[in-house]
């Protein structure tokens, strides 16, 4: 529900601008110190409330009064002009969310992901081979960071990898804050749903061993979800299953290549590599905030009471840079997460909406970094770091390109 023009003019725009691809917006440090719950103008034009401190963000993410389901109410403030549809993981609360999440979670258990490791490593190795064949220079985004997570999620879901450029365009529009017009967002979302509708029909005729075939069977044989829920879940898994990893893989390599030791920082030991991945996830935000939440009753956050039907953005980007929880928070410390006194980073959220793909994403990042370090030990940035730019107007943070060289 749009606010009046005076309110819009008074509240700064969300997300706040960043000076470069290497720095999070300066506004977050100011807000944590001075205004931990701040009014902002959302891309839709509605007013929201940005929560910036670690403890408050964590509390919002776990608070059932800060609802995802309420975001689809007609009277609720909206994040964008074309918000997420009802009936999906991003717009449900327990117990409906619990039911749908349990169906999708079958593919993302730690045991299932561990069984996939050899194939994930194989896919990464094949892409590294292809990149090496280009010579001594490449755009890491185009050659590796994009096709690798896409290949993994395509195999998992049973989506043809050959269609990757088509659904890349569609998924960018689905995750748009301001990069696309409302008409473009709606058109691309409908195109993606139409593509998935045809793919579901194919799985009904010729089911495979993939997750989408399994979900079709749940729909048709068990009645465990509606056709709308099936399509919305498929869209969520396809889009979220690659977009976030594409972005954080590119920014993670960018972070490493800006250090004196570059890819030599990637350790051989599993525990040390896991700690490095956690620090890279902390220092490289997947996005500026999580999906929008709307309060179902008055909620007090950091001493401020927000009335019912208030839009809330819990900024994970800001929380992971909170110096009250992470000493010298803006500094990259590869083994920071090995310290048991450090709190967990919040890149994958917290509470009932904690990212179900987190085990897969961590595995992809660890294997990708290990393979890149082994195959390209001399990799370096091929351009000055200040010339590397970030896409703007998207829910996820993704570099436009990452030129690298080796040899």
């Amino acid at each position: 529900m749009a606010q009046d023009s005076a309110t819009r003019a008074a509240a700064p725009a969300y997300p706040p601008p960043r000076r470069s691809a290497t720095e999070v917006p300066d506004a977050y440090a100011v807000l944590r110190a001075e205004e931990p719950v701040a009014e902002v103008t959302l891309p839709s034009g509605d007013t929201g409330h940005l929560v910036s401190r670690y403890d408050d963000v964590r509390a919002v993410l776990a608070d059932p009064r800060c609802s995802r389901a309420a975001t689809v109410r007609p009277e609720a403030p909206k994040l964008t002009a074309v918000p997420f549809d009802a009936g999906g993981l991003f717009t449900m609360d327990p117990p409906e969310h619990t039911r749908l999440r349990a169906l999708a979670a079958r593919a993302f258990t730690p045991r299932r992901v561990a069984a996939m490791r050899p194939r994930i490593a194989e896919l990464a190795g094949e892409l590294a081979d292809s990149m090496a064949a280009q010579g001594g220079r490449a755009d890491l985004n185009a050659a590796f960071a994009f096709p690798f997570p896409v290949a993994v999620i395509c195999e998992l879901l049973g989506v043809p990898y050959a269609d990757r450029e088509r659904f890349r365009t569609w998924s960018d529009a689905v995750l748009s804050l301001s990069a696309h017009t409302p008409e473009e967002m709606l058109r691309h979302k409908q195109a993606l749903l139409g593509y998935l509708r045809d793919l579901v029909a194919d799985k009904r005729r010729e089911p495979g061993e993939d997750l989408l075939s399994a979900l079709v069977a749940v729909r048709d044989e068990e009645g465990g979800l509606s056709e709308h829920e099936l399509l919305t879940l498929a869209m969520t898994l396809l889009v979220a299953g690659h977009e976030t990893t594409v972005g954080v893989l590119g920014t993670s390599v960018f972070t490493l290549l800006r250090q004196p030791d570059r890819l030599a920082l990637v350790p051989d030991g599993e525990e040390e590599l896991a700690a490095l991945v956690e620090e890279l996830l902390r220092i490289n935000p997947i996005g500026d905030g999580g999906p929008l939440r709307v309060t179902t009753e008055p909620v007090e956050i950091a001493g401020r009471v927000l009335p019912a039907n208030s839009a809330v953005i819990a900024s994970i980007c800001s929380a992971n840079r909170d110096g009250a929880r992470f000493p010298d928070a803006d500094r990259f410390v590869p083994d920071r997460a090995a310290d048991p006194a450090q709190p967990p980073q919040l890149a994958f959220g917290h509470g009932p909406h904690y990212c179900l793909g987190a085990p897969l994403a961590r595995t992809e990042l660890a294997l990708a970094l290990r393979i890149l370090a082994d195959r390209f030990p001399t990799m370096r940035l091929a351009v000055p770091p200040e010339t590397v730019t970030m896409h703007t107007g998207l829910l996820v943070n993704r570099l436009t390109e990452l030129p690298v060289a080796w040899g």
Side-chain angles (χ1 to χ4, degrees):
M1 184 169 60
Q3 310 294 312
D4 60 76
S5 57
T7 302
R8 284 201 302 271
Y14 171 84
R18 61 173 64 228
R19 288 187 297 180
S20 73
T22 65
E23 300 169 283
V24 300
D26 296 333
Y28 290 128
V30 176
L31 292 175
R32 287 193 302 270
E34 301 177 4
E35 196 176 2
V37 181
E39 283 194 2
V40 292
T41 300
L42 302 173
S44 66
D46 290 352
T47 295
H49 300 83
L50 181 64
V51 180
S52 54
R53 292 176 181 169
Y54 181 96
D55 289 349
D56 298 326
V57 166
R58 200 166 185 266
V60 166
L61 295 175
D63 193 330
R65 300 170 300 172
C66 296
S67 165
R68 291 237 191 124
T71 62
V72 301
R73 296 174 179 171
E75 71 276 12
K78 307 301 179 189
L79 178 61
T80 67
V82 183
F84 291 121
D85 291 330
L89 289 173
F90 287 158
T91 53
M92 281 183 170
D93 295 328
E96 292 82 5
H97 173 266
T98 308
R99 171 183 60 84
L100 201 61
R101 180 187 174 93
L103 295 173
R106 299 174 185 179
F108 298 101
T109 63
R111 178 177 296 182
R112 176 81 180 269
V113 171
M116 293 172 61
R117 281 181 66 93
R119 178 55 179 155
I120 295 173
E122 183 180 15
L123 290 169
E126 291 171 355
L127 287 166
D129 288 342
S130 297
M131 191 168 82
Q134 297 181 25
R137 184 178 175 122
D139 173 9
L140 187 87
N141 264 14
F144 191 92
F146 171 69
F148 172 53
V150 169
V152 173
I153 200 66
C154 282
E155 286 211 2
L156 184 65
L157 284 177
V159 174
Y161 180 65
D163 292 338
R164 61 192 180 279
E165 291 299 336
R166 296 174 67 194
F167 62 73
R168 181 182 196 176
T169 300
W170 297 331
S171 64
D172 275 1
V174 170
L175 294 178
S176 177
L177 288 172
S178 57
H180 297 75
T181 66
E183 293 76 19
E184 289 172 336
M185 292 170 66
L186 188 59
R187 185 176 74 252
H188 287 307
K189 183 168 73 171
Q190 293 303 321
L192 177 54
L193 285 171
Y195 171 82
L196 291 170
R197 193 175 292 111
D198 291 341
L199 192 57
V200 163
D202 291 341
K203 301 297 181 184
R204 284 196 169 104
R205 287 190 297 269
E206 296 183 35
E209 298 299 318
D210 51 82
L211 177 59
L212 190 53
S213 294
L215 292 173
V216 170
V218 169
R219 158 69 178 145
D220 296 349
E221 299 168 18
E222 303 173 24
L225 69 168
S226 69
E227 191 75 6
H228 173 73
E229 288 174 339
L230 170 61
L231 291 172
T232 304
L233 180 57
M235 179 171 67
T236 301
L237 294 174
L238 178 60
V239 173
H242 82 274
E243 283 277 8
T244 53
T245 310
V246 168
V248 79
L249 177 53
T251 54
S252 292
V253 174
F254 185 41
T255 294
L256 292 172
L257 295 183
R258 299 199 316 275
Q259 312 307 313
D261 294 332
R262 300 199 296 261
L263 293 189
L265 287 171
V266 179
D268 293 323
E270 290 294 323
E271 290 186 6
E272 293 84 357
L273 181 54
L276 173 65
V277 166
E278 292 307 299
E279 177 69 351
L280 288 168
L281 285 165
R282 184 192 72 82
I283 206 79
N284 291 296
I286 292 172
D288 281 274
L292 187 72
R293 286 163 167 79
V294 170
T295 57
T296 56
E297 60 183 82
V299 177
E300 182 176 345
I301 306 171
R304 178 173 179 177
V305 177
L306 301 184
N309 202 45
S310 295
V312 181
I313 291 281
S315 178
I316 291 169
C317 172
S318 177
N320 278 342
R321 296 295 187 105
D322 190 343
R325 290 292 174 263
F326 301 100
D328 204 1
D330 290 327
R331 188 165 69 92
F332 170 59
V333 182
D335 61 351
R336 182 193 298 267
D339 181 356
Q342 287 291 284
Q345 54 81 16
L346 297 176
F348 296 118
H350 174 67
H353 290 281
Y354 183 83
C355 176
L356 61 84
L360 178 62
R362 285 187 168 102
T363 296
E364 288 180 273
L365 284 169
L367 289 173
L369 294 175
R370 179 72 270 150
I371 286 169
L372 289 172
D374 288 344
R375 196 69 58 86
F376 305 100
T378 62
M379 183 182 287
R380 61 193 181 276
L381 288 172
V383 296
E386 61 270 17
T387 66
V388 175
T389 57
M390 190 86 72
H391 280 285
T392 58
L394 298 176
L395 270 169
V396 294
N397 291 330
R398 192 175 72 229
L399 300 176
T400 54
E401 60 179 3
L402 185 57
V404 297
W406 60 90

